[in-house]
Each structure stands twice: as structure tokens, then as C-alpha cells.
Amino acid sequence: MSQTEEHMTSIHVPSPIIQVRNLGKYYGNFDPAMIERTGPEHGTARDHVTASIVAAWGVNFDVAAGEALGIVGESGSGKSTVLRCIAGDVAASTGDVRLAPFEDGNVNILDLDPSARRQLRINTLSVVYQDPAEGLALGVTAGGNIADPLTAAGWRNFGSIRDRARELLARTEVPLDRMDDIVRNFSGGMRQRVQIARALANKPPILLLDEPTTGLDASVASGVLDLIRQLLEELQVAAIVVSHDFGVIEMLTERCLVMQHGRVVEDALTDQLLEDPHHPYSQKLVAAART
Amino acid sequence: MTLDTAPHTSPTTIAQLVGHRTTETFALLDEESKREIRRALLHAVCIPGYQVPFGSREMPVARGWGSGGLQVTLACVGSDDAVKVIDQGDDEGVNAVNLRRLVTMSTGIDETTEVYEATLIQSRHRIPEDDMNENHILILQVPVPEPLRGIERDIRELARMHSEADYSRMWVSLYEDKVRNGVITQSTGYPCLVASRYIVATTPIPRWDIPRLHQSKFLTLFGAGREKRVYAIPPYTDVEPLTFEDVPFEVESADGATCRLCGSSESFLVEMPGKQESWSCSDTAWCRRQRNT
Amino acid sequence: MTMTMNKTLPILDVRNVSKSFTLHNIDGRTVTALEDASFVVHPGEHVSLAGSSGAGKSTLLRLIYRTYSITAGSVSFRLANDEWVDIAQLSDAEVIALRGREIGYVSQFLHAQPRRSVIDLVARAGVSRGMSTADAHEQAGHSLARLGISRTLWDVHTSVLSGGEKQRVNIAAGLISPPRLLLLDEPVSALDPENRERAIEVIADLSDQGVAVLAVFHDLDAISRLASRIILMSRGNVVIDGPVDQVLPQLTPGDVQP
């Protein structure tokens, strides 16, 4: 896999785990000219001629092991679309996405059929959704939700499954005496912790987080955020964190993309984005976050 | 041009209707129908455990009363076959008697209550106690062929789960069952993995009989008339009841009970109707033979 | 990592660096924070940046660390293998790699910190710069002790510390297994006199270890004790750049006002 930016120095840069090139997703009919008719300069992702929506276009980035890349933007920016295209929840319209742990990065995962994409989600790539109900079966116990990816990966020993579930729930600070309670009876913050535990069940090298703390009460959110930060450091996964909240981005990521109307408008070190944003939209977002 | 104006003798009673048909076709069904069912059965045998859809015909038994098993039997039967029909192990139950009569009357073949004399054995709810071999075809009447029905209703999602062998939700439901109840509680219809590929519903038979399917010498065919599916377990096929490595598969037991009639403790026992704590063999023919020898 | 590079060669060579901000959301105006700054730093040197508020001192530190992007000029850094790289032109991934091991930044604030114990935080910084976990833990203990953080606090979460305690932990984390270039932005401003002393001693040791230090202090006394060279800045420009003995007498209190 190639590097995003050419560098001619001897500084050792870890090779990418996730490589995304030209990722694009549109809804409606395709007309090549609609790309130029949409985007930040036009203030919209919707093409007035075809009524198609260019939800995301021309997205490029790499993520290395142990690195968390942020994607920040307001709703409609395309950030969640990008995440869902990589996750396989949404079929991308175009693009090349390679994952180092899968076939050594030699296969564009966007070309795989849905059943192969589902296989990826068992061992290679996990997703934590904003709404825990999307990543959990609410009528199943906390332990059962963790048993799901384990059995999908071939675990057949009840005792081992229970042990691993306990380990993960302890790590995500879910009280073990609630392991056999159904998730519907958990608070939002607890549900999110169970979702994280479940996402980590098969030790995925890649983790995608979509607004992981949005919707949680502030005090609860900070605990979950802290947990995520610790896990990212411990596990050295390659992570993509999508959020509209700069606090989350600041805490979890070292590099960040800013998206607006489906396009990436800025790609920078996170601290640089927060202190010296270049693009007018980035400046606006950062200024709003600071107040 | 002259018209043939000879009067037709159209049937006007049900008896005439049935009689009308049985004199014209062997085994109730026309050849095209039998051919279609056989094709479906061949598919089923070639893909062990896979539910093959088929055009389930209207039968003289209502849906839910064995019409699927009957169609399978009628498609398989040849003039030198001998048929045994049991319901809950009993050859003399009303339904077993009616089904057997339908088969023999439309084919003229022999009927029997002894396994060793039969070639086709149609059953609801039991596998006969006697050993069967390559000469036997066991045909089971299935109410619900879909083993995942309890966890998913959408037929497209069910089709996907089977085609991708994505059975994790079944495993989760077994996990939940064990957590909630201490054991896996499914009694009839225990899900089994066939040839390490498809999960099947063994809906008609109790857990007791499931080990008989594993690497059996006989062919087992499953017919679901209302749901319009057939599936098969060919001889010498692996059939593994789904359970965790460390949770042994247990069969039904009644502590120390023996058959009141023949004294056996080795056969599948059922409580005698109206009499609590009083057991007898489910397989009546087998029981009778124990008593006579 | 041993300091084997040539001590007479500079480690940092800042040339004609300028920084302007374009404020798109106000009226598109441009604000210049730094104009045409040039200087070098050698290993083992402690260079003090002096100047009143707004002179461009923090801007300079941030440009070197790449928190700010440069408008013009170059920020050349000599790697351990003597290769020179322009920090301003590096890719983000390369900067992250450099920040991990080669260049450190100790700011005034301990912000966005995880719920981690004091000793863990400091040890982790050591591990990220190549120490073994055991060594890092041991060294972390030494550093904390030197900075007056008592053992009883080592296992508490940083969030329960006072401002001064947090700052000393910050210093410990920044200085453990020190990187070859260390940028310090008012590291002792929140410390009481006794702890300020401890911190100054620890920082003074860095020169002996061959670390190049570029520091901002609003404290003539600290500057006089630590600096080997002083760069005085005013309104975004370098005004004076010379040895401490020469420059110090020229400084007025206004030049070090926070």
C-alpha cells in the first residue's frame, strides 16, 4: 500500500493499516458534471440539475496502527457516510479501500460481496455506533451480546465464552452482576459500554466509532470517552472517530479531517486544527466550539 | 363433422371422486407431480440439510396432518415396497391408519408393522426402536421445517443466514437459554448441524432419537406440506445436535421408569394416558415383540 | 539512546520564519504573529525566549512543534542520523513520529488528560520514548520525587491534583528520557517558590544530558540561572540574540511580563 503523502526523509513512519482512496457515495442518478455542481463552494451536497446527492466524494486518507483519525463536521457533512462505506453498512459508489490485516491490503474491500464484508466485521473491523441499539440486540443479555461475535468467530465452549465476556465487561466497567441482564434494561451509558465490549470481543485490529458519546449525559459521556481513550492506547488498533464534537476529537485523535458538504476541506494534525485552522469552515467550527 | 355426444359419467360423490383417481394413477399423484417431488428430493439428498422448496399438492389429508410426509412417500413408493406408518411410535393411531390406507389403496403394496419387513417408514414424532439399514427410507412429517423460526421471521434474512452459514443468532439463543435455565431446554425440534453445513429442525422427533440420525445407515427424508419444503439426511452423514463443547447434549429421561407392559428401561417411554407415573413404550410394535419373545 | 551527535553542529536551524493568520470569519483580515525570525540552537544549549506578551514567543514554539503551520521560511531539524529535515514541510505522520521521540513540548496546562495515575502518566511518556516499562516506572518515581511529588500521590488520578502538582507532573512527563529538543512554555509559572526551585534544578540538568532546550520563562531569575543564550523578541520580530551574560543586563522587567 502506498503512502498518502510522499516523504523523502528517513523518519520512520508506520505503514498504514487502513488506506482509503477516492471514496465516494452519491444517491440518485449519476452525471459526471454533478460533482462540480456540489460541494463547499456551492454550499450544498445536492445537485440542482439531477436532484442527486453527493454525500461524499474524493475522500483520501491513511490510518496507521495505534493511530486514531478524526473526521469532524456538522450533520450532512458526509462524515458518517464515509464511516458507513468503510464499515459496509452502505454501498460506496466508488473508491478503493484496503485493510492491511485483510489479504495483506491487496484487495479493495469495496469490491467484496456482502457476505465477505460481513466476514470482515467478525474478525477484522468492528463498529461502535452512536445509538447502542444499532450495535446491540436489546432483547439479549449483555453476555449474550458478546457471545454473538465470539460464536460467529467459532467459539464453542460455553465456559470460555463466559470468561471472555466477563473480561470484556470488567474492562469496560460494566458491573459483572449485570452480565445476565438484558441490555434493554441498561442506561444509555451502560449500553454504550456493552457495545464497546462487544466490538472488542474478537480483538479487531480496526475500530470505527461513529459519534460514540453523542446523546449521553455529559458526565456519563466523559467516562465513556476516557474508557475509549485508554482502550485505543492499550490495544493499538487503527481507529476512525467520527464526531461533530471537538472535545471528543481532541481527546481521542492526533490527526483529523474536516468535512463539509461531502468533501474534505482540511486534513491536519488535531492540535493544529484546533489552534491554527486554515479553511474558513474549519475556523468557523473551531470558533463555535470554543465558545 | 359430428360431435361426440355420448353422456359422461362425472363423479358426483367424494367416494366416486377418490375412486376415480385411484384407478387412474399409481400412488395418488400423477407422474409429473411425482417427478417434481423426486427432483426436489434429489436436490435435498445432494445438499444434506438444505430445505428445498417444492410445489406441495392438495392431498386428501389436511395441512398439518402429514400431507408433506405423505407426498414424499407417494413420490418414493414403487410396486415392490412395503410401508409402515406410525404416529408417536404407534401403528394403530387414527392418523397412522388413515395415511397407511391411503398409500396401500392407491398402490396395492404391502403394509406392515415390523421394521424389518418395511422399506418405507413414514412417521410422526418417532424413529422406530429397531435398527434400520440401507434398505430403509425413513420419512418424517414436519410441521415447521425452519430451525431458525424462533429467532427470525423475515424469509429473506433466513435465506441469507442459511446461505452464508451465519448461525450466530442461533448460538446466541442457545447461550441465552443456558444462562436463563441452566440447561438448553429445547425438547422437540432440537436444532442439529448436518454435514457440518446446514442447521435443520428435527421437529418431529424427541431428543432421544437424534443420535440415531448421526451416521445412520438409512436415508431420512423430511416433508413439510404446509410450508412446502423437503430436506434430507443421507446415510452416513454427520448430524450433531447444537450444543457447546462443555455442555453435553442430554436426552430425555424418567428416573428408573420401566415399561409397564414389557419391562424395558432402554426404550423411549411415554406416560400412559390418564395414568400418572405409569409408563409404556412409545414404539408399540417393538414393545409387543419384546413381550412375545 | 546515547547522544552521539556532533555537539558543535546545531540541532535546530530556524530561517526566515514568518507566521500570519487569516481570519476568514471576521473580515478576512490577516494578523502577523511572527516576522522573519532566524536563529539556531545547539545540543546542550538552553535558549530563553524573552519578550513581552504578544511578542511571538509561544508562536515560535508552536511553529517548531507544528501546532502552527508556517507561512514562510523553514524550520530545519537534525535527526539522530545527522540528516536534516524541514519540520514545516513534513507530512503529518512524520510529525507525529518526531513528536513521539525527538521533540517534546511542555506547556503550562495539563489538559485533556485521561483518568490515569500520576506515575502511570509519567512512565508512559518514558515508554513512548523507548524505555522499558520497568525502567520507565523506576525513573518516573525518581523524577516525581525530585519534583517534590510525594509517594502518596503517585497512584492517584491526575484529576485530583492541585494546579501546581499537575504542572510538576507535566514537567516530569516531559522530561523523562528526554527528547533531543525540548520546548518549554512557561513550565514553572504556577509553582510556589519551593517547587519552582525543584523544577529549575531538574530543567538545569537537561543541558548536561545534551538536550537542546528552547524555553519561555516570565522570570528573570529563572532565565539567569538556566539560559546559556537569550533571544529577545518584540512584536513578532527577533530583536536581540546573544549569550546570557551580554543580553541579560539589557532586559527590563517589561521584557518578561506575562
Side-chain angles (χ1 to χ4, degrees):
Chain A
M1 303 206 290
S2 58
Q3 304 283 349
T4 319
E5 299 159 52
E6 285 301 309
H7 72 275
M8 308 297 283
T9 71
S10 66
I11 299 174
H12 172 71
V13 164
S15 54
I17 298 291
I18 306 173
Q19 181 182 274
V20 174
R21 297 284 178 271
N22 271 311
L23 184 60
K25 173 68 186 173
Y26 62 86
Y27 295 94
N29 297 314
F30 183 71
D31 166 12
M34 77 190 192
I35 306 301
E36 271 96 67
R37 289 196 288 263
T38 53
E41 312 82 54
H42 302 275
T44 180
R46 185 179 171 282
D47 176 34
H48 66 272
V49 171
T50 58
S52 301
I53 296 181
V54 182
W57 203 260
V59 178
N60 298 306
F61 61 82
D62 288 353
V63 187
E67 181 175 42
L69 174 78
I71 308 182
V72 72
E74 294 169 312
S75 40
S77 59
K79 59 191 194 299
S80 284
T81 301
V82 168
L83 184 141
R84 282 176 189 264
C85 283
I86 298 170
D89 293 336
V90 158
S93 306
T94 184
D96 189 305
V97 175
R98 286 160 200 260
L99 309 177
F102 179 71
E103 304 285 343
D104 257 344
N106 291 320
V107 171
N108 177 5
I109 66 168
L110 302 181
D111 288 338
L112 296 175
D113 64 54
S115 113
R117 292 300 288 276
R118 269 187 280 271
Q119 277 299 306
L120 273 184
R121 292 283 291 265
I122 295 171
N123 288 310
T124 306
L125 187 157
S126 277
V127 184
V128 175
Y129 294 95
Q130 173 178 348
D131 180 3
E134 216 180 321
L136 294 173
L138 293 184
V140 169
T141 64
N145 269 288
I146 297 174
D148 186 350
L150 294 176
T151 55
W155 288 52
R156 293 289 181 262
N157 186 297
F158 185 76
S160 306
I161 291 171
R162 296 278 287 175
D163 287 341
R164 177 88 179 124
R166 269 186 216 109
E167 188 192 322
L168 289 160
L169 291 170
R171 186 62 196 87
T172 53
E173 291 160 28
V174 175
L176 288 181
D177 59 7
R178 300 207 63 190
M179 177 177 176
D180 299 330
D181 286 352
I182 64 170
V183 166
R184 188 173 286 122
N185 296 338
F186 286 39
S187 67
M190 274 298 154
R191 287 185 188 185
Q192 202 55 312
R193 288 170 185 271
V194 175
Q195 205 198 164
I196 294 168
R198 179 202 153 100
L200 299 176
N202 288 322
K203 303 191 177 166
I206 296 172
L207 194 59
L208 309 182
L209 299 110
D210 192 353
E211 306 271 8
T213 54
T214 302
L216 299 177
D217 292 337
S219 55
V220 172
S222 81
V224 173
L225 211 50
D226 196 52
L227 171 67
I228 294 173
R229 180 176 169 154
Q230 285 179 42
L231 290 169
L232 290 179
E233 268 185 47
E234 256 170 55
L235 303 170
Q236 290 289 297
V237 295
I240 300 176
V241 180
V242 164
S243 185
H244 69 279
D245 181 340
F246 274 105
V248 172
I249 296 290
E250 188 176 11
M251 210 195 228
L252 299 181
T253 70
E254 278 189 296
R255 284 173 49 229
C256 187
L257 308 179
V258 180
M259 287 190 74
Q260 186 191 21
H261 298 310
R263 313 297 160 89
V264 175
V265 298
E266 194 156 349
D267 176 354
L269 296 163
T270 300
D271 63 313
Q272 187 177 350
L273 181 65
L274 290 168
E275 307 234 11
D276 182 18
H278 289 183
H279 192 274
Y281 179 66
S282 310
Q283 291 187 359
K284 190 170 118 184
L285 279 187
V286 171
R290 292 297 195 207
T291 49
Chain B
M1 184 171 71
T2 51
L3 295 171
D4 180 357
T5 53
H8 285 285
T9 48
S10 319
T12 53
T13 66
I14 291 188
Q16 283 180 337
L17 188 72
V18 174
H20 199 74
R21 288 174 70 197
T22 50
T23 54
E24 287 182 7
T25 60
F26 179 80
L28 278 185
L29 299 166
D30 56 280
E31 287 308 307
E32 286 308 317
S33 298
K34 281 187 281 192
R35 198 169 293 155
E36 196 247 325
I37 298 170
R38 285 181 203 137
R39 257 188 237 117
L41 289 170
L42 279 173
H43 271 95
V45 171
C46 291
I47 315 171
Y50 173 66
Q51 299 167 53
V52 183
F54 79 108
S56 181
R57 268 70 178 167
E58 289 222 349
M59 287 278 101
V61 294
R63 298 289 185 217
W65 292 88
S67 62
L70 180 62
Q71 286 174 84
V72 172
T73 301
L74 293 174
C76 291
V77 69
S79 47
D80 49 3
D81 275 304
V83 69
K84 170 180 163 77
V85 182
I86 52 174
D87 188 330
Q88 310 228 50
D90 187 356
D91 304 78
E92 298 311 316
V94 173
N95 301 316
V97 168
N98 281 331
L99 287 165
R100 190 166 60 241
R101 187 186 304 161
L102 265 168
V103 175
T104 55
M105 275 180 56
S106 63
T107 58
I109 65 165
D110 291 334
E111 59 177 85
T112 176
T113 58
E114 295 302 323
V115 167
Y116 70 87
E117 285 174 354
T119 55
L120 299 174
I121 300 173
Q122 180 169 333
S123 168
R124 176 184 163 268
H125 187 66
R126 285 294 328 279
I127 296 182
E129 299 288 344
D130 286 304
D131 288 332
M132 292 176 284
N133 56 42
E134 292 86 354
N135 297 318
H136 294 104
I137 298 179
L138 175 67
I139 297 159
L140 294 174
Q141 298 166 210
V142 177
V144 179
E146 178 53 72
L148 308 176
R149 195 183 74 155
I151 54 178
E152 179 59 62
R153 292 296 190 147
D154 188 304
I155 54 169
R156 292 162 303 179
E157 176 63 10
L158 286 167
R160 182 201 70 77
M161 288 163 81
H162 282 295
S163 83
E164 293 179 18
D166 177 4
Y167 292 125
S168 55
R169 287 175 56 200
M170 169 57 86
W171 284 103
V172 172
S173 90
L174 292 178
Y175 169 95
E176 296 283 281
D177 200 358
K178 170 105 176 93
V179 162
R180 209 176 299 123
N181 303 310
V183 289
I184 299 175
T185 57
Q186 290 194 267
S187 49
T188 54
Y190 199 93
C192 295
L193 188 66
V194 174
S196 307
R197 179 54 182 89
Y198 285 97
I199 291 184
V200 300
T202 54
T203 37
I205 59 177
R207 296 163 74 136
W208 180 274
D209 286 333
I210 285 175
R212 305 277 303 284
L213 294 171
H214 178 67
Q215 291 288 327
S216 63
K217 291 182 185 151
F218 54 92
L219 166 66
T220 305
L221 301 175
F222 297 75
R226 178 179 50 201
E227 296 295 316
K228 310 181 195 342
R229 302 277 179 91
V230 293
Y231 48 104
I233 297 178
Y236 306 109
T237 303
D238 286 339
V239 177
E240 306 158 56
L242 286 192
T243 184
F244 297 99
E245 259 169 31
D246 52 340
V247 178
F249 174 72
E250 286 172 17
V251 299
E252 297 89 344
S253 68
D255 301 310
T258 58
C259 172
R260 245 178 63 115
L261 302 171
C262 74
S264 161
S265 57
E266 301 301 309
S267 57
F268 188 70
L269 301 174
V270 291
E271 278 187 300
M272 295 181 82
K275 296 179 185 181
Q276 289 258 309
E277 293 304 321
S278 188
W279 304 84
S280 67
C281 294
S282 148
D283 188 335
T284 55
W286 186 87
C287 185
R288 199 180 317 121
R289 236 190 27 252
Q290 305 311 307
R291 284 180 266 138
N292 293 339
T293 50
Chain C
M1 192 176 88
T2 52
M3 304 285 169
T4 54
M5 79 283 298
N6 187 336
K7 284 207 168 187
T8 60
L9 272 186
I11 185 173
L12 184 71
D13 187 344
V14 174
R15 291 217 187 156
N16 307 111
V17 163
S18 300
K19 174 61 184 169
S20 306
F21 297 92
T22 309
L23 307 176
H24 293 286
N25 291 302
I26 299 178
D27 50 11
R29 78 171 82 137
T30 303
V31 170
T32 301
L34 196 65
E35 231 178 319
D36 205 33
S38 298
F39 62 89
V40 296
V41 181
H42 294 82
E45 265 191 309
H46 182 119
V47 177
S48 246
L49 293 178
S52 56
S53 197
K57 312 183 295 295
S58 288
T59 301
L60 199 45
L61 292 182
R62 292 203 179 107
L63 280 168
I64 294 166
Y65 199 59
R66 258 284 287 274
T67 300
Y68 287 171
S69 60
I70 215 164
T71 306
S74 65
V75 179
S76 300
F77 178 75
R78 181 162 57 86
L79 300 175
N81 63 0
D82 282 349
E83 179 189 339
W84 283 93
V85 296
D86 182 0
I87 293 173
Q89 304 301 324
L90 292 178
S91 67
D92 290 347
E94 287 169 309
V95 171
I96 290 174
L98 272 190
R99 285 179 180 180
R101 296 200 167 214
E102 304 283 302
I103 305 179
Y105 190 107
V106 180
S107 76
Q108 310 166 44
F109 315 107
L110 204 108
H111 67 114
Q113 282 300 330
R115 265 181 325 157
R116 183 158 283 139
S117 73
V118 163
I119 190 152
D120 217 31
L121 193 113
V122 179
R124 258 178 206 280
V127 167
S128 76
R129 283 193 280 270
M131 293 181 95
S132 74
T133 314
D135 287 345
H137 235 80
E138 198 188 322
Q139 186 57 42
H142 290 319
S143 300
L144 289 169
R146 278 194 78 188
L147 285 162
I149 304 280
S150 78
R151 199 175 263 267
T152 52
L153 289 178
W154 291 5
D155 289 317
V156 306
H157 288 145
T158 55
S159 52
V160 308
L161 300 178
S162 70
E165 285 162 345
K166 280 184 191 168
Q167 194 159 8
R168 281 177 282 148
V169 171
N170 216 9
I171 293 170
L175 272 58
I176 187 173
S177 183
R180 292 164 57 238
L181 172 63
L182 203 46
L183 309 168
L184 306 177
D185 197 345
E186 299 191 50
V188 303
S189 59
L191 301 181
D192 60 71
E194 192 186 335
N195 285 312
R196 183 178 151 282
E197 269 309 299
R198 292 196 176 108
I200 287 175
E201 271 177 37
V202 166
I203 293 169
D205 283 350
L206 290 169
S207 300
D208 297 335
Q209 295 172 58
V211 177
V213 178
L214 188 57
V216 172
F217 283 97
H218 284 292
D219 185 337
L220 272 177
D221 177 58
I223 294 175
S224 68
R225 288 165 61 184
L226 292 170
S228 47
R229 229 171 85 221
I230 299 178
I231 293 175
L232 177 65
M233 302 181 67
S234 172
R235 301 220 201 109
N237 289 285
V238 169
V239 173
I240 308 174
D241 178 354
V244 60
D245 307 321
Q246 281 178 25
V247 180
L248 197 57
Q250 301 176 51
L251 295 183
T252 69
D255 291 325
V256 288
Q257 223 165 44

